Amino acid sequence: MSRIGKKPIALPSNVTLSVNDQNVVTVKGPKGTLHQTVDPDISVAVEEGQIQVSRPTEQKRHKALHGLYRSLVSNMVLGVSEGFKLNLEVIGVGYKASVANNVLELQLGYSHNVYVAVPEEIKVTAVTEKGQNPKVYLEGSDKQLLGDVAAKIRSLRKVEPYKGKGIRFIGEQVRRKAGKSSSKK
């Protein structure tokens, strides 16, 4: 058995899970509703307040899908009950971030401002405190969508290794490089 796949998922009391005929798992909770299509070979069942994901055989394909779908369903349950948060930091002289109507406006040292339309499922806030770097906070129930949006924002100005300027996750360690060393003769 897959070590991840065989672990049961605790189902909180305020979350409901249902599986239809096409093997689409629907999870409803206080933070919203999420849907995930599961491979027809993998079965998802609710037993005594726990979700159990099982596979029919020990084929390599079934072993791979077993752990995958268990993790996806677990993230869905966690997302609709508690939600996920990602925090980004914009580092650089003159770099700014602001939000209006779920559109993130970034000034990243280009000749123009960069606008990012954030999906409605994700709540975005930008905070700029005096003497500190601007911070962008992303919150949502869908972990995959949240990660995609954060990666898109981060790709607009990746952290460069010499001065450390760019967009990074708060707490992320950036490997720094030494610049040119001048030798005087």
Side-chain angles (χ1 to χ4, degrees):
M1 287 291 277
S2 166
R3 281 185 289 181
I4 292 174
K6 67 182 177 184
K7 289 169 61 176
I9 304 165
L11 189 64
S13 59
N14 58 354
V15 175
T16 59
L17 179 131
S18 61
V19 184
N20 68 6
D21 297 339
Q22 288 82 31
N23 230 17
V24 175
V25 175
T26 304
V27 181
K28 292 181 184 175
K31 299 243 181 203
T33 304
L34 294 174
H35 307 282
Q36 175 67 48
T37 304
V38 177
D39 191 90
D41 294 338
I42 305 296
S43 64
V44 179
V46 179
E47 300 167 357
E48 301 167 5
Q50 292 187 329
I51 304 166
Q52 195 66 46
V53 180
S54 57
R55 65 175 185 251
T57 66
E58 295 294 316
Q59 290 179 10
K60 190 170 187 178
R61 179 178 168 276
H62 289 157
K63 285 181 179 181
L65 294 176
H66 189 204
L68 168 74
Y69 286 119
R70 190 260 176 214
S71 294
L72 291 177
V73 172
S74 175
N75 285 339
M76 289 166 60
V77 170
L78 196 63
V80 296
S81 60
E82 298 173 19
F84 294 103
K85 295 178 184 176
L86 279 178
N87 305 326
L88 297 165
E89 190 174 21
V90 183
I91 298 174
V93 176
Y95 289 10
K96 295 177 184 158
S98 60
V99 177
N101 299 332
N102 237 25
V103 175
L104 179 65
E105 180 184 357
L106 297 166
Q107 294 178 5
L108 300 172
Y110 297 122
S111 61
H112 57 282
N113 293 351
V114 180
Y115 296 92
V116 180
V118 179
E120 296 171 9
E121 298 89 13
I122 292 179
K123 182 180 171 229
V124 61
T125 54
V127 177
T128 306
E129 295 177 9
K130 188 168 179 162
Q132 292 188 347
N133 296 318
K135 292 175 178 50
V136 177
Y137 300 107
L138 301 170
E139 288 182 53
S141 60
D142 191 346
K143 190 173 186 179
Q144 289 177 320
L145 182 63
L146 192 69
D148 287 345
V149 170
K152 173 71 177 157
I153 292 170
R154 195 167 177 264
S155 71
L156 297 172
R157 180 67 97 176
K158 288 189 176 169
V159 179
E160 54 95 19
Y162 297 102
K163 289 187 177 179
K165 290 168 41 171
I167 302 173
R168 67 172 80 168
F169 294 107
I170 292 179
E172 178 185 357
Q173 297 294 318
V174 176
R175 199 154 168 200
R176 301 290 295 269
K177 288 184 179 178
K180 292 183 194 176
S181 56
S182 60
S183 59
K184 296 182 181 179
K185 294 183 179 180

